[in-house]
Amino acid sequence: MTDLQIASSIQPKHIKEIASKLSIQEDQLEYYGSDKAKLPLDLIDEKSVNNGNLVLVTAITPTPAGEGKTTTSIGLGDALSHIGKKTVTVLREPSLGPVFGIKGGAAGGGYSQVIPMVDINLHFTGDFHAIEKANNLLAALIDNNIQSKTKSIGIDPRTVIWKRCMDMNDRGLRKIVAALGGKSGGVPRETGFNITAASEIMALLCLCRDMNDLQEKCGNIYVADTWEGKPVYAKDLHAQGAMAVLLKDAIKPNLVQTLEGNPAIIHGGPFANIAQGTNSILATKMGLSLSDYVVTEAGFGSDLGAEKFLNIKCRMANLSPKAVVLVATIRALKYHGGKNIKELTNEDVDALEKGLPNLERHISSLRSFRLPIVVSINAFSSDTDAEKKFLFDYCEKNNIPVALSYGWAEGGKGCVDLANKVAAAVEGCTQKFSPTYELTDDIRTKMEKICRTIYGAENVILSNKANRQLKQFEAMGYGNLPVCIAKTQKSLSDDEKRLGRPENFDIHIREFEIATGAGFIVPIAGNILRMPGLPATPSANHIKMDANGDITGLF
Amino acid sequence: MTDLQIASSIQPKHIKEIASKLSIQEDQLEYYGSDKAKLPLDLIDEKSVNNGNLVLVTAITPTPAGEGKTTTSIGLGDALSHIGKKTVTVLREPSLGPVFGIKGGAAGGGYSQVIPMVDINLHFTGDFHAIEKANNLLAALIDNNIQSKTKSIGIDPRTVIWKRCMDMNDRGLRKIVAALGGKSGGVPRETGFNITAASEIMALLCLCRDMNDLQEKCGNIYVADTWEGKPVYAKDLHAQGAMAVLLKDAIKPNLVQTLEGNPAIIHGGPFANIAQGTNSILATKMGLSLSDYVVTEAGFGSDLGAEKFLNIKCRMANLSPKAVVLVATIRALKYHGGKNIKELTNEDVDALEKGLPNLERHISSLRSFRLPIVVSINAFSSDTDAEKKFLFDYCEKNNIPVALSYGWAEGGKGCVDLANKVAAAVEGCTQKFSPTYELTDDIRTKMEKICRTIYGAENVILSNKANRQLKQFEAMGYGNLPVCIAKTQKSLSDDEKRLGRPENFDIHIREFEIATGAGFIVPIAGNILRMPGLPATPSANHIKMDANGDITGLF
């Protein structure tokens, strides 16, 4: 059965039933149909947040074999409910664009899914659309001001860094020349579109404390320079009020359910390379306010997602997880061990052993945060006993709790062992995480600490441009922002071909970007695609809807 | 009080109460919050549709003074309820883009509004966003196919007529060069964005019968030519299934309420120049299925909105109104009589008399459809007794029912006289409307009949390009489509400076466009802006949200 067939085989409970499990009154819900609802921000209770048990799910370095971080998160959440822990799984919202490129949704898989999965993967409650509009209103205001004879604030059109965005895999929009057509069309300039998940609005919405803070963060976005070289912020264009109004509903977390009818909150979906790669602070706090356990995940491997989750999001929100689940698969480790994608179903303990250093590196990186770690082996039918034994032996030898999880095939009951080990870890955790760097460190020091402690790199090498920018940002007073390194997810290094555990490498920072609204500096290591394209045969070609509204070919 | 203050002063009823007035069960509603809901298409009942009483609200030629067509529609709907007629007001969805340009919403005014007015004017239930995504997915698939080495269907990039769209007043997107950046960015070409209301997807969604028909219409969109000069349709890119899936909720009409708690359905909002300018067929049929009276409106003056409403929408849907309300204001007629906007509050029967031929022309145009007409004078406090008497005398002399309406100041009770006259007209109507042309007429004949009968023009003059295109479209087999003339709304002629009742003029068709998905041919008379810009001081600058979420400066 496909994910879509499994998801469609289960009749979702009315969302008010899910809400009642969390003691939310019906009149506090803003319904979106009978299976989705927005939650008002006043359900957040800071005392419960502080007493809650936050569990972060992260992973080894991603491979084409798939690791199943979201599937594990959902399975673990359901399993914690099985063992009597009141739990909410808190996830990111999927991006629409990729749905029409490569088949596959982003709402879990098999029997560990959140539903309604079609809606969640399409428009959901419109959050991405609202972010897009706020982003693009700011862009329109910039070009409109450049065009104005009487109200110009002197923006140099060559310096505009603010791009438009669209939640669509559309390479044709990556780089454009806009405002053509003569005087009435505006002042022509080079620009482009990001996919919506890569918009700074997405990042700042996920980092804001409340509506006021959201408005202020919108105002603080750095968009361009004047002809005199002074920075221009969104607030100089009086844009933040209208942007916040466009985001008044998008700021509210969304309640849905797992296939097993347990509550899940899905909210926000920033990229994990050029942004923090995790759901909103408000959603995490909402989950902690409404339950005893929150299971959440962060994008890509622990070098990107977990590092940013902790050093950026948790630090800003004064949150600290009590356990970190590191997801690995035997298939993916064999891939890291040098096998190609077609060979992964053959037993190969040698390849597994060769791939193990990737897992080891992620474990040692995570240990630097001084949090309990549980390794979760996401089981595949091709895994052999010898392979499993090898991996278990390694973990036991190193004193790391490990569990096989069968979330995909069995849902929550396939993750009970994992849940018990996670609960034990949580109960044993008595301290907050140790950040990798201090905010008072200078920007270069912050980067070096991340690259050495988390990636295992030697040095950080800055291009001339990056050096110039670093000085500029420090002179502008942004030296105390956290850093959000944009790096390939496919390797711990900045070279996507280096699998396993790369050693003796440097990280090369080509340039910086700065997200003064969201509040971080982005050192860019390599080329990061902010607007993906479609493959030669996009999955859109196979999607059909019949007269009953039944969809095929979507997932 | 501002419209927003009035709208905010009234606590909306729960939408299930509104639904129950229409005998809709609670479990048939798809809630969007407590004050908005989508209605499932199976509530449409063709027998009720045929027995229902449809009332079209149209207007004289628009002026900067404002006519108040939407306000009158809402006031009339409420008034029909006052006099015991079970009524639903069925309106278009406002476009988001203009909200940030010039202050003012599009959900009625004063005490004749639909609520929740802020939501209706912003994201509402996401229909425009979904249309945007379907439109832009098709665009991405076109450029992706042009880019593909292996799957190319041979699209000549110079011939692509399909544009992207965005619901934002953003002149910088009107004309762009896209797909720059070298091989990975695609094949560069000139293109641009329309505002979403101008997308053919909007037009075809509003003309479709059901999901299947929607999918088929999406497939029939003509997007480009091949290098060999053959037409390429969306279905050649296998786009229609994915597009339909994106529109699966947008196809459903939205239930809201008037300030007086009467049901209103708001659905679809195509432009009234390059498209049909009226809400969806499905919404109109839904209203007729659920009530005895449906009051609906069509964009701009009767030359654009009513003509297309009848000849395009009603003909396709086999609908026929039983009365047409022609909205005029004394201020607007004085403007047509040559007064400038600042002089309109002074009594001036002479100017009114000079402007009257505009009203006369709309009356005689509407009479060609053989439907009962009621003139509604939307009252302003500056109207004097002498002016009102003059206008009433004219209507009585010409045997046209006329009512003063006070919807803005008084809501439904200010429109009871109008409602009684409309009900009398409806009860006296025994025939279906006579279309202006037959579908079997050739394209030139169709245009000539509209221009002569409706606009009062002499001849239709085609440019060389238009002549060529006309032959091409007839050769392609599209000669039997209805025509949808794109013309300025500010004059009955194609010259926006000719107010009142222009005479001795020709209509000049510069070129054609063809909407093979929606199913009409668009002769273009003059320059039609499909992507507006923002003014020098956009209203976005004044919008603020306070800590309680209260919005100011929006309307």
Side-chain angles (χ1 to χ4, degrees), chain A residues 511-544:
Chain A
E511 60 183 336
F512 285 94
E513 294 189 8
I514 186 162
T516 53
F520 52 71
I521 285 174
V522 187
I524 297 183
N527 289 310
I528 302 296
L529 208 58
R530 290 165 165 237
M531 173 51 93
L534 293 169
T537 304
S539 70
N541 287 5
H542 307 297
I543 297 172
K544 293 275 171 296

Side-chain angles (χ1 to χ4, degrees), chain B residues 155-195:
Chain B
I155 295 170
D156 177 350
R158 303 165 305 177
T159 65
V160 178
I161 50 175
W162 190 251
K163 291 185 174 180
R164 291 171 177 83
C165 75
M166 190 187 288
D167 194 9
M168 188 61 67
N169 283 22
D170 188 351
R171 73 169 67 73
L173 291 178
R174 205 178 286 155
K175 196 160 183 185
I176 68 172
V177 172
L180 296 167
K183 273 176 105 165
S184 67
V187 178
R189 61 181 186 85
E190 280 183 66
T191 181
F193 279 68
N194 295 327
I195 194 164

Side-chain angles (χ1 to χ4, degrees), chain A residues 44-94:
Chain A
I44 294 174
D45 168 49
E46 292 291 342
K47 204 174 139 220
S48 306
V49 171
N50 288 330
N51 295 335
N53 298 311
L54 180 60
V55 177
L56 173 67
V57 177
T58 184
I60 61 167
T61 303
T63 74
E67 286 64 51
K69 205 166 42 197
T70 306
T71 304
T72 300
S73 301
I74 297 166
L76 172 59
D78 281 338
L80 283 164
S81 298
H82 280 273
I83 64 168
K85 309 291 184 190
K86 187 175 178 184
T87 304
V88 177
T89 305
V90 181
L91 302 171
R92 287 171 292 165
E93 298 182 50

